[in-house]
Amino acid sequence: MRHILSLLMENEAGALSRVSGLFSARAFNIESLIVAPTEDSTVSRMTVVTSGSDAIIEQITKQLNKLVDVIKVVDLNEFRHIERELMLIKLIAQNECRDEAKRMVDIFRGRIIDVTENTYTIEMTGTSEKLDAFIESLDNSMILEVVRSGVSGLSRGDKATQS
Amino acid sequence: MAKKKEILRGAEIFCRALKDEGVKHLFGYPGGAVLHIYDALYKQDAIEHVLVRHEQGATHAADGYARATGRPGVVLVTSGPGATNAVTGIATAYLDSIPLIVFTGQVATHMIGNDAFQEVDSMGITRPCVKHNFLVKDVKDLAATIKKAFYVATSGRPGPVVIDIPKDITADSCEYDYPQEIELRSYRPVVKGHPGQIKKAAKLLLSAKKPMIYSGGGVVLSEASNELTEFSQLLGYPVTNTLMGLGAYPATDKQFVGMLGMHGTYEANMGMHHCDLLIAIGARFDDRVTGDLEKFCPYAKIIQIDIDPSSIAKNVPVDVPIVGDVRYVLSDLISILKNGKGKPDIKALEDWWKQIYDWKKLDCLKFDRTTDVIKPQYVVEKLWELTKGDAYVTSDVGQHQMWAAQFYPFDKPRRWINSGGLGTMGFGLPAAMGVKLAFPDETVACISGEASLVMCIQELSTCLQYNTPIKILSLNNRYMGMVRQWQEFFYSSRYSHSYMEALPDFVKMAESYGHVGMRIEKSSDVEGAIKEALELKERTVLMDFVTDQTENVYPMIAAGKGHHEMHLSTDANRELA
Ligand SMILES: Cc1cc2nc3c(=O)[nH]c(=O)nc-3n(C[C@H](O)[C@H](O)[C@H](O)COP(=O)(O)OP(=O)(O)OC[C@H]3O[C@@H](n4cnc5c(N)ncnc54)[C@H](O)[C@@H]3O)c2cc1C
Ligand SMILES: Cc1ncc(C[n+]2csc(CCOP(=O)(O)OP(=O)(O)O)c2C)c(N)n1
Ligand SMILES: [Mg+2]
């Protein structure tokens, strides 16, 4: 099953390689991994999307917790949570395709952020599923380039994950 | 009035911090990146520097020192090849959870990443085989980093920690202030076990009819031998130890059924297969222990005590997990057992022991005592007798290691020193040297094989220089015996590259290093030779025992088999099986 793990780590050089190294050394899956500083400059937040059986997810969480630089690991699947991913996508938008592209962007609540005679560049956020759905709804030959940020997430409600 | 702080250079901070940590011995080898440190070492006398002959030897010696004393071993090597040579020893310590502090020199900060002379990414190379590693980027962080390293290496589940120090940091100076204590918000090992879980475990323990106590290296690391012994004797249950746990429970006690696993005893493995309750104490269900997981302990409820949550239920599902230090958890269990009303089921236990004694009658470790060809088992047995079971014994990797484990019953922890997890040939000799430095008055023996021994043979020089008179017993079967055994069993005796041709003259070799060499060819000479060697208290002695080339280690559980599917020797009383 797909899980979103949210980590707080000491903002030290090499922190990212400790986590990515752990995943590769132990043959765990990584679907996406993002890392950025938080409001506290000594702490980074990492969000990892991974998949595996319950036993594997348990091992992943335990192994992550064991890393000396990791302050906290939360499996967002255990909570009601929100996930978002940002996608930038450049489409061929010529002639009759141009209107069609615009219509699809509107349906999926994306925004056109750059326009040329031949292309649209679109910004879209949502769950990974929604972004997948948008891509699937397009004719493959329209797509010039896709960049996705990877998933970030937070639990719903009043609770916060703190260091 | 606050004491005025001294201004020291990084290299001096290094020496002072080690002194403040109470470090007595530093195993090292110099090179460009650490020359400032070597200069500072020259000017002090609190720490004895032991000059090894290869950086692998430094890490193994420090590792042996740590295993014997319980204190962390400390190593200093230069950048580049110094660091890479140390990696095997670091990984060896990592897999057996041994506390080491390894300082690697590094090129100057402004040169890092420049493919500078003798630069390697030591942080990257060691990351997967350390508990943690640090790169020091400012001399002001040096003292606190050393403090953190000692704390991390020795607390929780211990392990090696690497500190990479660029050369310019050792030249820079700052105020010296060694922290008394350190706290890391991201690292807080659990020590006390959960009371509810401990109660549950006690109840389950008392309801067992066929219990087994399976304990491992965690008991040694936790200094919990007394607690394990008291706990086991309160219950009267059979105890088996892993290779890493030997000595944690007295092997000559009647409740001890021997080592378990691939080369464990018949009674220990059959006990595992048939038990209805298993309590794992500081043991990590290694594949050499479990055999085929599908067939592992099919009838048992399982309790597991471990300080590392990731060891719990990693390979085998567990009914009652307890995270904590075994010493604390066992103490809690002992007080519940002592104060509670429940008692073990005496009747069931009697039947269980009867069954175990029947298995024991098979005499699975029996070997031929009638030939004058030296049987390797006999050599180990004689060493045990002549040292009254009280020596420190290190070992290498192979058949000789298994025979040492099987035929030298250890009654005390920290006496049996071997590389179990990584299985590193070359470990035994430098490890013995490290032990002897820690305990100059104790007998230290290294049981090795002719192939393993030469992997770190250069350390014989170090033994001479630092006067560490160890006794090396090489069980020379002219084969990589363990490899040969597998080839005999699983590759129709095609002995591909496992024969040791062109072996050196070990007697002359020992002599050329300034030690005593002996060659022993007949069984009847074994006892006399060991006696003579032990009497040469001031000398390192290399005993080259020419042993039976075809001897195999039994019992053996082949890959993919269960505990009840052991391969037995022809000498065992098979009809009983
Ligand atoms: C040739 C060869 C053959 C081998 N054959 C066998 C064999 O037949 N039988 C066998 O048993 N092994 C054998 N081994 C060794 C095997 O590979 C493993 O190294 C060994 O079984 C592991 O022992 P352990 O489970 O005690 O774990 P260790 O590696 O000693 O791990 C200790 C465990 O205790 C935990 N721990 C540490 N400190 C504490 C504490 N304070 N409190 C609580 N828990 C703690 C750790 O987290 C860890 O889970 C062989 C090795 C070689 C090289
Ligand atoms: C560094 C290293 N290389 C290879 C191995 C694989 N290996 C395990 S046992 C063994 C043979 C050991 O031979 P020897 O030291 O003579 O011991 P014996 O089995 O003959 O007692 C080998 C090659 C290892 N464990 N370590
Ligand atoms: Mg051999």
Side-chain angles (χ1 to χ4, degrees):
Chain A
M1 201 179 132
R2 174 177 179 271
H3 283 246
I4 305 172
L5 305 179
S6 181
L7 281 71
L8 293 176
M9 297 191 70
E10 294 291 349
N11 187 5
E12 300 273 352
L16 175 61
S17 64
R18 289 185 206 280
V19 173
S20 60
L22 178 101
F23 274 78
S24 62
R26 295 189 180 268
F28 298 144
N29 289 320
I30 302 186
E31 235 169 69
S32 74
L33 186 160
I34 60 175
V35 56
T38 61
E39 74 284 3
D40 174 350
S41 65
T42 66
V43 175
S44 309
R45 164 92 68 168
M46 199 177 282
T47 312
V48 188
V49 178
T50 181
S51 58
S53 65
D54 288 354
I56 288 174
I57 299 295
E58 184 181 325
Q59 255 307 301
I60 294 176
T61 341
K62 285 172 166 178
Q63 292 293 347
L64 287 169
N65 263 310
K66 199 165 137 179
L67 293 175
V68 170
D69 278 344
V70 170
I71 302 168
K72 201 160 229 168
V73 181
V74 177
D75 180 350
L76 287 179
N77 288 44
E78 289 175 8
F79 303 89
R80 290 193 310 123
H81 64 272
I82 303 157
E83 66 165 281
R84 286 291 180 273
E85 186 175 358
L86 167 69
M87 173 165 71
L88 300 178
I89 179 165
K90 194 177 280 182
L91 300 179
I92 297 176
Q94 290 165 323
N95 316 328
E96 65 277 15
C97 285
R98 218 166 160 89
D99 286 347
E100 168 66 9
K102 174 90 177 59
R103 204 164 40 244
M104 289 309 290
V105 171
D106 287 341
I107 293 172
F108 280 86
R109 302 211 193 122
R111 292 200 302 147
I112 297 170
I113 53 174
D114 189 46
V115 179
T116 69
E117 228 168 273
N118 299 317
T119 65
Y120 283 152
T121 299
I122 292 137
E123 167 194 319
M124 188 176 288
T125 58
T127 62
S128 306
E129 225 182 338
K130 168 181 153 182
L131 303 186
D132 291 345
F134 177 67
I135 290 176
E136 270 161 35
S137 71
L138 298 170
D139 183 343
N140 230 338
S141 62
M142 288 174 73
I143 302 175
L144 279 175
E145 208 173 353
V146 178
V147 189
R148 295 172 69 152
S149 65
V151 173
S152 44
L154 280 178
S155 64
R156 285 185 185 273
D158 296 342
K159 276 231 181 98
T161 307
Q162 263 153 3
S163 50
Chain B
M1 204 181 77
K3 219 169 73 199
K4 195 154 171 281
K5 300 217 168 89
E6 287 169 89
I7 305 285
L8 298 181
R9 293 176 80 201
E12 295 160 336
I13 291 177
F14 170 91
C15 297
R16 280 288 288 278
L18 293 195
K19 182 175 169 223
D20 287 350
E21 275 297 331
V23 174
K24 296 277 183 299
H25 292 95
L26 171 64
F27 300 88
Y29 204 88
V34 288
L35 281 182
H36 295 320
I37 297 183
Y38 271 84
D39 195 46
L41 283 168
Y42 188 81
K43 298 174 188 158
Q44 59 84 50
D45 52 13
I47 299 153
E48 184 180 4
H49 178 272
V50 179
L51 177 68
V52 294
R53 298 304 189 266
H54 186 298
E55 289 86 352
Q56 183 183 354
T59 44
H60 290 332
D63 181 326
Y65 186 94
R67 291 181 203 236
T69 61
R71 297 195 305 271
V74 188
V75 176
L76 170 63
V77 298
T78 193
S79 66
T84 54
N85 271 351
V87 168
T88 299
I90 296 170
T92 302
Y94 181 64
L95 280 209
D96 291 340
S97 307
I98 305 303
L100 288 189
I101 313 289
V102 180
F103 293 92
T104 52
Q106 185 52 279
V107 301
T109 326
H110 68 277
M111 301 288 282
I112 290 181
N114 212 19
D115 300 323
F117 176 63
Q118 296 198 323
E119 178 183 4
V120 293
D121 176 9
S122 299
M123 293 289 286
I125 288 177
T126 60
R127 197 193 58 235
C129 59
V130 292
K131 182 165 173 186
H132 196 58
N133 57 12
F134 298 94
L135 171 64
V136 182
K137 284 184 286 193
D138 186 332
V139 69
K140 292 195 202 75
D141 299 333
L142 181 57
T145 303
I146 295 176
K147 181 80 197 174
K148 277 184 206 166
F150 273 87
Y151 170 58
V152 169
T154 54
S155 57
R157 177 178 184 170
V161 173
V162 165
I163 305 182
D164 201 26
I165 311 181
K167 186 166 185 181
D168 52 324
I169 304 294
T170 62
D172 291 350
S173 25
C174 71
E175 275 189 355
Y176 177 67
D177 184 10
Y178 199 65
Q180 290 294 314
E181 267 182 62
I182 203 117
E183 223 189 285
L184 296 173
R185 63 177 163 181
S186 60
Y187 173 76
R188 294 198 182 102
V190 175
V191 174
K192 290 286 278 179
H194 187 281
Q197 291 294 92
I198 294 178
K199 260 192 213 128
K200 239 196 249 171
K203 205 166 145 204
L204 203 55
L205 274 165
L206 291 175
S207 70
K209 302 211 178 307
K210 300 177 178 180
M212 279 295 279
I213 297 171
Y214 147 53
S215 75
V219 177
V220 178
L221 295 165
S222 160
E223 309 285 357
S225 281
N226 291 339
E227 285 78 3
L228 173 68
T229 308
E230 186 180 357
F231 167 79
S232 308
Q233 295 183 353
L234 264 174
L235 290 165
Y237 294 175
V239 184
T240 178
N241 281 167
T242 65
L243 182 73
M244 299 313 295
L246 295 175
Y249 188 87
T252 54
D253 183 80
K254 61 181 191 311
Q255 271 173 249
F256 189 64
V257 296
M259 181 170 85
L260 80 164
M262 181 174 277
H263 294 297
T265 65
Y266 187 68
E267 49 274 26
N269 286 334
M270 290 300 272
M272 292 293 286
H273 184 74
H274 291 279
C275 70
D276 68 353
L277 176 93
L278 182 71
I279 177 163
I281 308 178
R284 59 184 173 83
F285 294 82
D286 183 82
D287 50 84
R288 296 263 145 154
V289 163
T290 57
D292 184 359
L293 287 171
E294 296 291 318
K295 299 176 186 165
F296 180 76
C297 291
Y299 315 111
K301 284 239 184 309
I302 300 179
I303 303 166
Q304 188 183 358
I305 310 169
D306 204 289
I307 201 160
D308 177 359
S310 76
S311 275
I312 296 184
K314 182 163 80 175
N315 302 328
V316 170
V318 168
D319 299 284
V320 184
I322 305 175
V323 178
D325 185 322
V326 289
R327 193 149 61 88
Y328 290 87
V329 176
L330 284 177
S331 301
D332 288 349
L333 276 170
I334 289 169
S335 70
I336 294 181
L337 292 173
K338 275 186 170 164
N339 302 324
K341 287 187 285 295
K343 289 274 168 294
D345 183 340
I346 300 292
K347 178 71 193 57
L349 202 53
E350 242 168 50
D351 293 345
W352 181 226
W353 272 112
K354 212 185 281 145
Q355 170 70 77
I356 291 170
Y357 282 128
D358 274 349
W359 288 326
K360 223 171 181 163
K361 279 190 209 137
L362 186 84
D363 201 1
C364 68
L365 299 179
K366 200 164 161 188
F367 63 93
D368 182 4
R369 292 169 184 279
T370 59
T371 67
D372 210 27
V373 182
I374 300 177
K375 289 286 179 178
Q377 300 96 322
Y378 177 70
V379 177
V380 178
E381 205 177 79
K382 276 293 157 211
L383 177 71
W384 176 74
E385 270 175 42
L386 293 168
T387 55
K388 302 189 174 59
D390 205 26
Y392 285 82
V393 179
T394 72
S395 190
D396 271 294
V397 176
Q399 293 182 316
H400 61 274
Q401 178 191 22
M402 294 299 109
W403 287 316
Q406 293 174 334
F407 290 89
Y408 197 111
F410 292 90
D411 281 337
K412 293 181 194 160
R414 301 200 176 279
R415 296 293 164 120
W416 166 237
I417 287 161
N418 83 133
S419 163
L422 197 67
T424 310
M425 290 169 69
F427 175 80
L429 166 54
M433 192 173 84
V435 178
K436 189 70 184 174
L437 277 162
F439 297 115
D441 300 329
E442 304 284 338
T443 304
V444 181
C446 165
I447 297 177
S448 189
E450 80 293 343
S452 294
L453 185 58
V454 295
M455 282 216 179
C456 275
I457 195 72
Q458 73 287 346
E459 299 310 327
L460 281 176
S461 284
T462 316
C463 289
L464 187 71
Q465 184 171 347
Y466 296 90
N467 186 29
T468 57
I470 56 174
K471 313 301 171 196
I472 301 164
L473 295 89
S474 175
L475 305 180
N476 182 354
N477 50 10
R478 285 83 72 216
Y479 267 118
M480 296 173 196
M482 187 56 95
V483 173
R484 190 203 56 76
Q485 177 169 345
W486 282 58
Q487 290 172 334
E488 180 187 329
F489 288 7
F490 311 119
Y491 299 90
S492 311
S493 300
R494 286 185 299 279
Y495 298 138
S496 177
H497 305 278
S498 55
Y499 184 69
M500 297 296 289
E501 281 179 82
L503 283 169
D505 179 331
F506 284 98
V507 174
K508 279 194 194 147
M509 183 158 75
E511 287 168 359
S512 78
Y513 278 101
H515 304 303
V516 179
M518 297 177 178
R519 184 173 168 91
I520 303 100
E521 295 177 340
K522 291 204 307 269
S523 203
S524 46
D525 292 339
V526 168
E527 181 161 359
I530 300 178
K531 253 193 197 148
E532 190 186 332
L534 291 172
E535 275 158 18
L536 290 169
K537 287 210 177 325
E538 303 304 318
R539 304 294 298 276
T540 288
V541 183
L542 195 167
M543 288 161 265
D544 184 23
F545 292 97
V546 180
T547 59
D548 188 346
Q549 276 199 288
T550 56
E551 192 63 42
N552 287 324
V553 182
Y554 294 106
M556 176 167 183
I557 302 174
K561 299 284 179 180
H563 279 149
H564 58 307
E565 300 169 302
M566 270 164 284
H567 205 103
L568 295 164
S569 90
T570 43
D571 296 307
N573 305 313
R574 285 159 167 271
E575 62 277 15
L576 289 167

